[in-house]
Amino acid sequence: MAQDSYTQHCRQEADTAAFAKKLAISLQEFFLLHPQGHLNISLEGDLGAGKTTFARYLIQGLGFSGRVKSPTYTLCEPYPLIIGNGKSGRQAHITANHFDLYRMRDPLEWQEAGFAEHFDEAGFCLVEWPNKAEGTLPAFDITMQLTSGSDEHAREITIHAISQESINILKSLFSKADE
Ligand code: ADP
Ligand code: MG
C-alpha cells in the first residue's frame, strides 16, 4: 500500500522553505494533469509553529511573486496562479485560497463571509486553524501538522494524505524528499 504520511524535520527556516517548494512542485504536477481539480489542505499547529510561513513559501513556490500576507483579519486571501510554462502547451489557471480562521467568533463565519464557493474552485484551499470551524468545512484531502522543536528554528512538519489523489501527490513528494 502506498505510504500516506510523511514527516519532515526542519532544522532551520530554509529547510521549511525547501520542503514547501517540493510540495509546490508536486502540486504543480497534479494541477497540470487536473486543471479543474480542487484540493483542501489544512495547516495545524500552535501560534508561531510556522503555518503562515509554510503557506507563504508554498504559494511563492507556485510562482506568485507578490506579497503573501497573513489572512488573520480578512479570513481569506486569494492568490491567482498560472501553472506551467506554456512551452509544453500545458497550463492551468488556478487559485490558492489561504484561510486563517483563528479570529472567527462563530464556526459558520467563513460561510457567511461568502467563502464557501472557494472550496469548489480550480485550485486549492489552505486552511489555518480549521478546528475553529468545528467540522463545518468540506473534507480535507491533505492535513499538515507543524510543531516547534527544542531549538528556536527547529520545526517538524507531518503531512497526511487522506484522498486517493493526494496519496499520488505524496508519492511524488517522497521521491523529491530524498533528493
Ligand atoms: P503561525 O502561522 O503558525 O502562527 P508564523 O508562520 O506566522 O506561524 O510564524 C512562524 C515564525 O517562526 C516566523 O517568524 C518564522 O520566521 C519563524 N521560524 C523560525 N524557524 C522556522 C522554521 N524552521 N519554519 C518555519 N518558520 C520558522
Ligand atoms: Mg498564521
Side-chain angles (χ1 to χ4, degrees), residues 51-52 70 100 128:
K51 303 178 296 296
T52 300
S70 179
D100 181 346
E128 296 185 41

Side-chain angles (χ1 to χ4, degrees), residues 75 101 104 107-116 119 133 136-138:
L75 285 190
L101 305 183
M104 283 205 310
L108 285 174
E109 209 176 309
W110 64 276
Q111 280 188 15
E112 285 149 15
F115 293 137
F119 289 85
T136 62
L137 293 169

Side-chain angles (χ1 to χ4, degrees), residues 65-127:
S65 54
R67 194 164 158 248
V68 176
K69 49 190 185 220
S70 179
T72 311
Y73 294 98
T74 49
L75 285 190
C76 177
E77 291 288 337
Y79 298 94
L81 303 169
I82 302 171
I83 306 290
N85 56 20
K87 277 188 207 142
S88 59
R90 285 195 303 166
Q91 235 182 26
H93 292 252
I94 65 165
T95 305
N97 286 292
H98 180 197
F99 287 85
D100 181 346
L101 305 183
Y102 188 72
R103 289 183 176 271
M104 283 205 310
R105 292 203 193 93
D106 180 286
L108 285 174
E109 209 176 309
W110 64 276
Q111 280 188 15
E112 285 149 15
F115 293 137
E117 63 193 37
H118 290 335
F119 289 85
D120 296 320
E121 281 172 16
F124 61 96
C125 290
L126 276 174
V127 188

Side-chain angles (χ1 to χ4, degrees), residues 12-13 16 46-53 128 153 155:
Q12 53 202 1
E13 193 167 322
T16 301
D46 293 340
L47 273 177
K51 303 178 296 296
T52 300
T53 301
E128 296 185 41
H153 300 288
R155 302 288 189 276

Side-chain angles (χ1 to χ4, degrees), residues 1-6 40 140-145 158-171 174:
M1 207 187 116
Q3 194 179 342
D4 61 4
S5 76
Y6 180 82
N40 289 332
F140 284 101
D141 298 282
I142 292 172
T143 65
M144 298 187 67
Q145 290 83 31
T158 299
I159 176 163
H160 289 273
I162 316 287
S163 60
Q164 186 54 49
E165 49 206 357
S166 63
I167 288 175
N168 292 334
I169 292 169
L170 241 66
K171 218 186 276 175
F174 298 147

